[in-house]
Amino acid sequence: MKKNLLLIAVFWRIQWNNYKNDYASITLGFVLTSIMVFCWLMFKPKNGLFTADPFILASGIGITTIRNAQYNLSNVLGDWRAKRILTRLRQTTLSKPIAFVSVLSFNWFINLVIITFIFIMGMMFPEQRRLLQFVDWNIFLSGLFLHIILCSLLGFVLQAWTNNRDLKQIFCLIGYFGSMYLLGLGIPWKVVGNVQWLNYLLYIAPHRYTITLMQSGWIGKAYPNLEMPVVGDGKWDLGEGNEFPGSVDQNSFLATEGFGFDHQLWLVYLLIFAWFIMIILIIYWGFKKGNNFNSRGIKSYQGVNKRIFYINQIKKTQTINQLIQVIDKINSEAKSEEDKLKLIKFKTKTPKKRSG
């Protein structure tokens, strides 16, 4: 147990050194998102002008997670592959699951810190504190959990299909800024979602499904079943007789459609898990394609798998005695004298001292 904890601490330190020197990730994943959320919370519209959604905090938390859980994970794995850290791990006796858990746990810890900061910032505003009475925490937290898993899986997709860091950066920026402006942070969902063709088009974005859970959960006790707040419905009386800004017009597309999915919450969860299965299959195909043995079909030849196993066993030995034991085991399973391994004994010569 102690050895595993020390191993996790080592991996955390490596990842922290990478993270603190990645100024782009800090700026986009923390600074920019926080400033945008803060500006929307500070914005006080008059006469029904442009307003933020009532679930702006949920949107901000969802968007910042895309950058931190998706790109940062892919970036760390890509950096480790470039430095051959992953290859060296496979040649050691170190626990691979522990290494994997340490990478994910650090990534999720960074997300938790930033999410906590955005939440505390939102609680500085009285309107946001009053909104807490309408949050369905079961839906919101389950949506957040599934959103983090989704972003992590997409990070593995990038790692599985390309080693080009610039190409991964392009895909991550498209996913980040596309989600920021079209899923409720840069431009309110009450504006984007009311454009009917765009609303339907955004169903191709995997992030929409998990962010929808978070947004609907943030107002879930007042508006269950994926409903949207509508002007004049009387549900947003916050004790001051004022309607909370961000409601959609009565005759708008969102007033009847809400968050979509035919108002079936179970359908959102089902489609999220369908995305998970599809993404996992894409990851599997990507890693299989990149594996030299699998791509050339070498493993299909008789005896190759066993020889690969023998090689890995020899690599893991740390002493001569362990090596002898592994070789004896291999020789005991050999079918012929030619297949047996032998230890070559050699003598070391002591260098002669130079005279003079």
Side-chain angles (χ1 to χ4, degrees), residues 182 187-200 202 208 228 253-254 257-258:
L182 298 178
I187 303 174
W189 179 247
K190 62 175 289 187
V191 176
V192 175
N194 267 321
V195 182
Q196 189 170 347
W197 67 268
L198 184 56
N199 190 313
Y200 289 137
L202 289 173
R208 173 177 179 174
M228 289 280 291
F253 176 71
L254 288 179
E257 292 295 323

Side-chain angles (χ1 to χ4, degrees), residues 327-343:
I327 290 177
D328 289 341
K329 183 180 179 182
I330 294 173
N331 290 339
S332 66
E333 298 176 359
K335 294 182 179 179
S336 66
E337 194 67 27
E338 294 178 353
D339 291 336
K340 292 185 178 182
L341 299 178
K342 296 179 181 180
L343 276 176

Side-chain angles (χ1 to χ4, degrees), residues 47 124 138 152 293-294:
N47 301 323
M124 295 168 56
N138 291 329
S152 299
F293 287 112
N294 284 329

Side-chain angles (χ1 to χ4, degrees), residues 35-174:
I35 291 176
M36 192 167 290
V37 172
F38 184 77
C39 289
W40 274 120
L41 295 176
M42 287 290 294
F43 185 61
K44 302 296 182 182
K46 295 182 179 180
N47 301 323
L49 297 178
F50 207 56
T51 59
D53 297 311
F55 41 79
I56 183 65
L57 273 184
S59 300
I61 290 172
I63 299 305
T64 193
T65 302
I66 293 175
R67 180 68 187 188
N68 292 298
Q70 185 171 309
Y71 173 73
N72 288 354
L73 177 61
S74 177
N75 189 34
V76 168
L77 293 176
D79 184 61
W80 285 17
R81 172 179 284 184
K83 295 177 180 177
R84 302 185 64 82
I85 294 177
L86 296 177
T87 303
R88 294 169 188 167
L89 278 176
R90 287 194 292 266
Q91 297 174 353
T92 66
T93 57
L94 295 176
S95 172
K96 311 306 181 292
I98 291 297
F100 178 78
V101 168
S102 67
V103 173
L104 282 181
S105 61
F106 176 83
N107 190 271
W108 293 0
F109 174 76
I110 292 295
N111 271 287
L112 179 62
V113 171
I114 297 176
I115 288 170
T116 303
F117 175 82
I118 292 177
F119 179 80
I120 292 174
M121 181 180 64
M123 293 302 101
M124 295 168 56
F125 298 86
E127 296 88 351
Q128 297 301 318
R129 293 198 297 270
R130 297 190 192 110
L131 270 173
L132 292 180
Q133 62 184 299
F134 301 115
V135 178
D136 188 326
W137 290 106
N138 291 329
I139 297 176
F140 172 75
L141 292 177
S142 65
L144 175 59
F145 177 71
L146 294 173
H147 184 58
I148 293 175
I149 294 178
L150 174 69
C151 293
S152 299
L153 288 175
L154 290 173
F156 279 111
V157 167
L158 293 173
Q159 178 60 26
W161 281 91
T162 178
N163 294 329
N164 189 317
R165 184 166 182 172
D166 293 334
L167 191 59
K168 286 190 287 188
Q169 178 82 349
I170 291 172
F171 280 118
C172 286
L173 288 175
I174 292 173

